[in-house]
């Protein structure tokens, strides 16, 4: 029914997938996420500035420990910007959690299941591509994450005069 699946088959791995949509600014993205079977390390929502993974943020949720984190994706891996922070809004185990990020007036707003969990100055300039993330734990795999009701709304890049836009891992082209 339109559900996305990220199956991480090796312990300690993270999968990041950009959505098949154009980049947007002054935007919001949201998705319903859950685990099938044994929960993995985290699932999350990805924001990649200028479509570059080396300029990306991840709102991540670990449903076992009921914590959220904000990561920056860099050349050397993930850097924790915030968390792990416990929050009662996070549903445990295999329950569905609605993750959302919004950028408005220079602020980045984070929410889980409709509850605001974080806010900060928006470190991403310009248009972003949204996407999905799943990670296995270092001790077991697979981690089978499911995503549904994905949305990414706001001003599209074509409205901003930007063309030839795609998600890319580095700026080496």
């Amino acid at each position: 029914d339109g559900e996305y699946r990220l199956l991480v088959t090796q312990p300690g791995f993270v999968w990041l997938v950009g959505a098949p949509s154009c980049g947007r600014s002054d935007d919001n993205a949201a998705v319903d996420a859950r685990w099938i079977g044994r929960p993995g390390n985290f699932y999350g929502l990805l924001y990649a500035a200028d479509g570059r993974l080396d300029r990306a943020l991840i709102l991540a949720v670990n449903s076992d420990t009921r914590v959220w984190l904000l990561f920056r994706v860099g050349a050397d891996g993930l850097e924790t910007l915030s968390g792990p922070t416990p929050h009662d809004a996070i549903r445990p185990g295999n329950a569905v959690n609605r993750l959302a990020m919004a950028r408005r007036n220079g602020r980045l707003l984070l929410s889980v299941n409709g509850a605001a969990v974080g806010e900060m100055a928006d470190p991403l300039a310009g248009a972003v591509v949204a996407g999905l993330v799943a990670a296995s734990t270092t001790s077991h795999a697979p981690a089978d994450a499911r995503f549904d009701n994905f949305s990414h709304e706001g001003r599209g890049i074509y409205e901003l005069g930007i063309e030839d836009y795609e998600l890319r891992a580095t700026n080496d082209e």
Side-chain angles (χ1 to χ4, degrees), residues 22-80:
C22 67
R24 303 195 176 278
S25 66
D26 275 343
D27 60 316
N28 60 74
V31 70
D32 294 331
R34 65 187 173 95
W35 294 112
I36 298 294
R38 187 173 174 186
N41 187 3
F42 63 83
Y43 45 66
L45 189 58
L46 170 74
Y47 256 15
D50 299 322
R52 292 174 40 179
L53 288 178
D54 63 341
R55 294 188 52 219
L57 298 175
I58 298 170
L59 170 59
V61 167
N62 180 309
S63 62
D64 265 356
T65 56
R66 298 181 68 195
V67 299
W68 68 271
L69 302 98
L70 183 65
F71 294 115
R72 180 189 330 255
V73 181
D76 297 325
L78 301 181
E79 172 191 354
T80 304

Side-chain angles (χ1 to χ4, degrees), residues 2-4 19 28-34 43-46 59 61 91 96-101 111-114 130-133 146-152:
E3 188 174 74
Y4 298 95
N28 60 74
V31 70
D32 294 331
R34 65 187 173 95
Y43 45 66
L45 189 58
L46 170 74
L59 170 59
V61 167
R91 297 179 184 120
V96 173
N97 283 293
R98 179 110 180 127
L99 313 181
M101 289 196 279
S111 70
V112 178
N113 296 319
L132 309 173
V133 180
R146 303 297 171 93
F147 301 91
D148 204 359
N149 302 312
F150 176 82
S151 67
H152 187 206

